[in-house]
Amino acid sequence: MAAFLLLINILYAILLVVGGLVSIPSESTGGIPDWVLHGSAYGLQAALLSWFFATKMRPRRAVFAGVVCATLFGAMVESLQFFQPARMVEPEDLLANTVGACIIGVVIA
């Protein structure tokens, strides 16, 4: 089970990196605000990471680790956008990533 969860987390992380570095036209989001997309994406990552970590550690620690890792991963993806001319590094996106991960962490805990 742990190997399957690890694979799911790796695939989702790749999806987040690609999504964070590819320029996406705003009309393709269906009118959903950018902060909702960021919060949802990193909230889901926090949940997936928590689920994986729960196979190795106590549940509350797993949730904390999932939230911290999702937040750090969001910061890494956001900083990679500095090297992508079509994208901009936006502190608001990092805040939305963090808030989304924290909200899911509170809900799970």
Side-chain angles (χ1 to χ4, degrees), residues 9 45-70 101 104-105 108-109:
N9 275 284
Q45 186 184 36
L48 291 172
L49 286 167
S50 298
W51 191 17
F52 170 70
F53 290 140
T55 64
K56 308 286 184 200
M57 58 180 70
R58 293 181 181 171
R60 288 197 189 262
R61 287 183 187 211
V63 172
F64 180 75
V67 169
V68 168
C69 288
I104 293 300
I108 293 172

Side-chain angles (χ1 to χ4, degrees), residues 1-14 48 52:
M1 180 66 152
F4 173 72
L5 292 173
L6 179 61
L7 177 64
I8 294 296
N9 275 284
I10 290 170
L11 292 174
Y12 191 70
I14 291 169
L48 291 172
F52 170 70

Side-chain angles (χ1 to χ4, degrees), residues 33-106:
D34 190 46
W35 62 271
V36 172
L37 295 173
H38 279 268
S40 301
Y42 286 91
L44 178 57
Q45 186 184 36
L48 291 172
L49 286 167
S50 298
W51 191 17
F52 170 70
F53 290 140
T55 64
K56 308 286 184 200
M57 58 180 70
R58 293 181 181 171
R60 288 197 189 262
R61 287 183 187 211
V63 172
F64 180 75
V67 169
V68 168
C69 288
T71 299
L72 291 174
F73 191 80
M76 182 209 59
V77 171
E78 197 64 32
S79 48
L80 284 175
Q81 291 178 0
F82 178 77
F83 302 103
Q84 176 66 348
R87 300 297 304 241
M88 288 179 22
V89 177
E90 298 181 37
E92 297 85 12
D93 290 348
L94 180 58
L95 179 63
N97 298 348
T98 304
V99 169
C102 288
I103 288 172
I104 293 300
V106 168

